[in-house]
Amino acid sequence: MSIIKVKNVTKRFNDKLVLDNINYEVKEGEIFGFIGPNGAGKSTLINIMTGLLTPDSGTIEVCGYDILKEPIKAKKCIGYVPQELALMEELNALTNLEFFGALYGLKGKLLKERIEEVLKITGLEEKKNKK
Ligand SMILES: Nc1ncnc2c1ncn2[C@@H]1O[C@H](COP(=O)(O)OP(=O)(O)OP(=O)(O)O)[C@@H](O)[C@H]1O
Ligand SMILES: [Mg+2]
């Protein structure tokens, strides 16, 4: 099964053609990387795939859901790890875990258990109240 399907995606900024009819599929269990020089359009494509930008034409399916037609369902299937540190620096470790756990739909006892587990794995139990 393909978890990502990119079909005929085209994007222009003003008159500049940035993505020219991009097509690919990524199957479940596959590790797929795309590389290219600065300005090649990698970030533009990632933004389109995650529903942050709309393509001029073409479609994207994530886990079988069209990112534009069923964005919530498609986005539930996406885990995005940006280049920058993906933490709220003004919050302590515990609150960060509560926040990100909640984004993934965890709450109550399960959220608490998972936070304890993660603090243990990372050796941060003693530092959970530190930023
Ligand atoms: N919002 C925007 N408005 C106008 N042009 C843009 C916009 N975003 C990106 N571009 C242009 O689109 C092209 C592709 O940019 P993009 O950021 O997708 O490239 P990239 O492959 O991620 O580059 P890098 O390796 O530097 O991160 C570049 O020419 C860039 O200047
Ligand atoms: Mg980029």
Side-chain angles (χ1 to χ4, degrees), residues 13 16 18 37-44:
F13 284 119
K16 193 175 172 214
V18 172
N38 297 132
K42 304 176 297 291
S43 294
T44 302

Side-chain angles (χ1 to χ4, degrees), residues 13-80:
F13 284 119
N14 305 315
D15 268 348
K16 193 175 172 214
L17 184 61
V18 172
L19 299 176
D20 184 7
N21 199 38
I22 305 293
N23 284 281
Y24 63 85
E25 289 191 18
V26 181
K27 296 204 165 57
E28 198 168 347
E30 202 170 45
I31 294 173
F32 183 96
F34 59 90
I35 56 172
N38 297 132
K42 304 176 297 291
S43 294
T44 302
L45 186 54
I46 293 278
N47 287 336
I48 289 174
M49 287 166 62
T50 50
L52 300 175
L53 269 181
T54 49
D56 294 339
S57 58
T59 57
I60 311 274
E61 268 179 38
V62 180
C63 293
Y65 301 111
D66 186 299
I67 190 71
L68 295 178
K69 291 183 188 145
E70 297 188 278
I72 306 282
K73 283 181 181 163
K75 284 177 187 178
K76 279 191 173 165
C77 204
I78 298 174
Y80 177 59

Side-chain angles (χ1 to χ4, degrees), residues 66-111:
D66 186 299
I67 190 71
L68 295 178
K69 291 183 188 145
E70 297 188 278
I72 306 282
K73 283 181 181 163
K75 284 177 187 178
K76 279 191 173 165
C77 204
I78 298 174
Y80 177 59
V81 182
Q83 193 162 311
E84 308 79 43
L85 190 62
L87 290 172
M88 305 270 226
E89 290 183 28
E90 62 275 25
L91 303 179
N92 65 30
L94 180 65
T95 315
N96 264 288
L97 289 168
E98 284 170 350
F99 175 75
F100 286 103
L103 287 185
Y104 279 92
L106 297 174
K107 54 188 173 196
K109 190 163 165 270
L110 187 60
L111 176 59

